[in-house]
Amino acid sequence: MTQTTILTREPVVNRNRAITANRLIAHGPSIGAVVETLNSLADIWPTHHTVFVCLGRLVPTPELMNWQAPPNAMVEIPSQALAHPQTQALLPQLRDAGVSMCLSWFAPGTALPPDCDWRFVLMDRRRHATPAGSPGITLAWGLPNVAAFQESVQAGFDGASGWFFLYGNPAAKELSPAHAQIVRLLNLVRNNADIKEIEAVLRQDVAVSYKLLRYINSAGFGLSCEIQSFRHAVTILGYSNLNKWLSLLLVSASRDPGAPAMMQTSIARGRFMEQVGASFFDKSELDNLFITGAFSLLNALLGTSMQTVLEEMHLPSAITDALLYEQGAYAPFLKLARLCESFESTELQKQATELQLSPEQINRAIVGALGFADSLQS
């Protein structure tokens, strides 16, 4: 049966802007269609964080119990559906099955059913200034930027869900010496410099060497042996993969409070583009697709302009055209990756149709990319 449900996603962060959960929004015609899609993703379900499952505009019904919910899954129950007989029938079934619940779109004064443990509560910050009356850990939604998040925390919210951290960051400045060092390494690797030359640069910054080896040895890369030196890394991985991992290192180099969330977003975009692009591009180009997505937030991560970062690097034109001008062969896939980060699905479905990608392909790429990005979090 062809799936008719398509997913989008957003991160959930705590007061310190560290990711504590991921939110999957299911855009489907019925609960049955959503259940079919969720069950089909069991083999790649991300396990690093709690996963909120939002049912979009659908009323939660007992049919949801046909989903084999993973232990870290949490079902969102909209407060507007609490009075619906089908939702009232579902709540005790979820509770008895040990499936956690999040109360979404809560408003002060909402009549709550007895015997429900609302671990998290989602409130629209545009409508409610404070989390007054909330029965759980309260998350703000609908924030436009970092300043609005800071105001929400001061007002008593415990965190937020959404993409606010991509907006309202400090003004661009010059590339820092630490970031410039990684860019220098990237250029050496891309130009196939001698290993001794690369090692000499690495010795100048022990922290970079340590981070690089830690990322290469992380579970996400699936290597069968531990890499203990840069020379060993070159032998095992080759220059092409080292270029990819150094790109990851650059993405992870920021010390901004919002960096972990931006890092997850960047890496998830890259992995998503790599996966959906596999049927469009030669295998030799997939790393470039990954790097395009991974570098798409470098300006925010490094506190500088995209133009400044890319001027220091010698990247293929397809990457720079996509990042600077939203043009070229990779641009439609970067646009697709960004559309996966919307609470609505209309534009995502339109772009997927233009690229002749099915909901199944989109959903597996989103969830797989999320799991990969989370596996690299320390």
Side-chain angles (χ1 to χ4, degrees):
M1 182 176 177
T2 301
Q3 290 182 20
T4 53
T5 297
I6 198 163
L7 303 176
T8 58
R9 71 175 192 89
E10 60 184 42
V12 176
V13 301
N14 62 17
R15 295 168 68 93
N16 298 319
R17 284 199 268 169
I19 291 180
T20 56
N22 293 301
R23 191 171 184 228
L24 293 177
I25 301 98
H27 309 272
S30 65
I31 295 295
V34 170
V35 166
E36 178 196 3
T37 292
L38 294 175
N39 280 330
S40 74
L41 299 169
D43 60 316
I44 56 170
W45 190 260
T47 58
H48 193 78
H49 297 295
T50 298
V51 179
F52 293 12
V53 175
C54 170
L55 300 171
R57 294 178 174 83
L58 297 174
V59 172
T61 71
E63 193 174 4
L64 189 62
M65 298 308 297
N66 292 324
W67 174 36
Q68 302 299 311
N72 69 327
M74 181 176 293
V75 174
E76 290 189 23
I77 304 295
S79 60
Q80 300 92 327
L82 289 174
H84 196 287
Q86 292 278 0
T87 302
Q88 291 178 346
L90 171 66
L91 295 180
Q93 295 182 41
L94 288 171
R95 183 190 62 214
D96 293 345
V99 179
S100 298
M101 292 179 282
C102 168
L103 181 62
S104 56
W105 319 129
F106 173 76
T110 299
L112 300 176
D115 303 322
C116 275
D117 179 17
W118 304 108
R119 185 174 161 197
F120 287 94
V121 176
L122 197 66
M123 294 181 70
D124 190 336
R125 182 68 163 80
R126 299 168 300 181
R127 299 185 179 187
H128 308 290
T130 70
S134 168
I137 298 171
T138 314
L139 306 169
W141 187 86
L143 303 178
N145 51 41
V146 172
F149 171 78
Q150 294 168 339
E151 292 169 3
S152 295
V153 169
Q154 291 171 357
F157 285 87
D158 301 300
S161 180
W163 302 99
F164 69 91
F165 55 86
L166 301 182
Y167 308 98
N169 289 291
K173 55 183 181 296
E174 292 300 310
L175 201 62
S176 73
H179 298 146
Q181 186 81 321
I182 301 174
V183 170
R184 183 183 174 195
L185 277 168
L186 267 168
N187 287 334
L188 287 172
V189 171
R190 291 190 71 88
N191 292 324
N192 295 312
D194 189 89
I195 296 175
K196 290 182 180 179
E197 190 177 354
I198 297 171
E199 283 182 316
V201 175
L202 276 170
R203 288 194 199 100
Q204 297 171 19
D205 194 332
V206 176
V208 170
S209 304
Y210 168 75
K211 282 186 176 183
L212 176 60
L213 293 177
R214 185 183 68 176
Y215 276 104
I216 292 174
N217 286 317
S218 67
F221 299 143
L223 299 179
S224 59
C225 62
E226 183 177 0
I227 292 179
Q228 299 176 340
S229 70
F230 192 78
R231 185 172 290 274
H232 188 202
V234 174
T235 304
I236 296 296
L237 296 177
Y239 276 45
S240 177
N241 280 331
L242 277 174
N243 174 56
K244 184 175 180 178
W245 308 147
L246 277 167
S247 299
L248 278 172
L249 188 61
L250 184 60
V251 168
S252 66
S254 174
R255 295 181 180 178
D256 184 272
M262 285 191 280
M263 174 186 166
Q264 185 215 47
T265 304
S266 299
I267 295 172
R269 283 181 184 180
R271 186 69 162 183
F272 174 87
M273 290 178 65
E274 186 179 37
Q275 290 184 315
V276 297
S279 58
F280 294 84
F281 297 93
D282 185 79
K283 189 176 180 180
S284 62
E285 284 198 75
L286 296 185
D287 279 354
N288 284 344
L289 275 172
F290 177 88
I291 289 169
T292 302
F295 281 9
S296 62
L297 289 175
L298 271 187
N299 54 326
L301 276 163
L302 306 186
T304 185
S305 69
M306 187 67 76
Q307 186 78 43
T308 297
V309 178
L310 297 184
E311 281 177 355
E312 301 290 333
M313 307 172 76
H314 307 291
L315 297 173
S317 58
I319 296 178
T320 56
D321 286 348
L323 293 176
L324 290 177
Y325 313 114
E326 298 182 358
Q327 296 177 356
Y330 300 164
F333 298 89
L334 179 57
K335 179 181 179 181
L336 189 73
R338 286 171 169 152
L339 289 172
C340 294
E341 299 161 5
S342 171
F343 190 72
E344 299 295 334
S345 66
T346 304
E347 290 301 315
L348 172 61
Q349 290 172 324
K350 180 180 176 181
Q351 181 74 358
T353 299
E354 288 181 6
L355 292 170
Q356 297 184 327
L357 289 165
S358 68
E360 293 99 320
Q361 290 172 293
I362 298 294
N363 295 336
R364 290 191 70 82
I366 288 175
V367 174
L370 192 56
F372 177 78
D374 281 347
S375 75
L376 303 184
Q377 301 284 301
S378 58

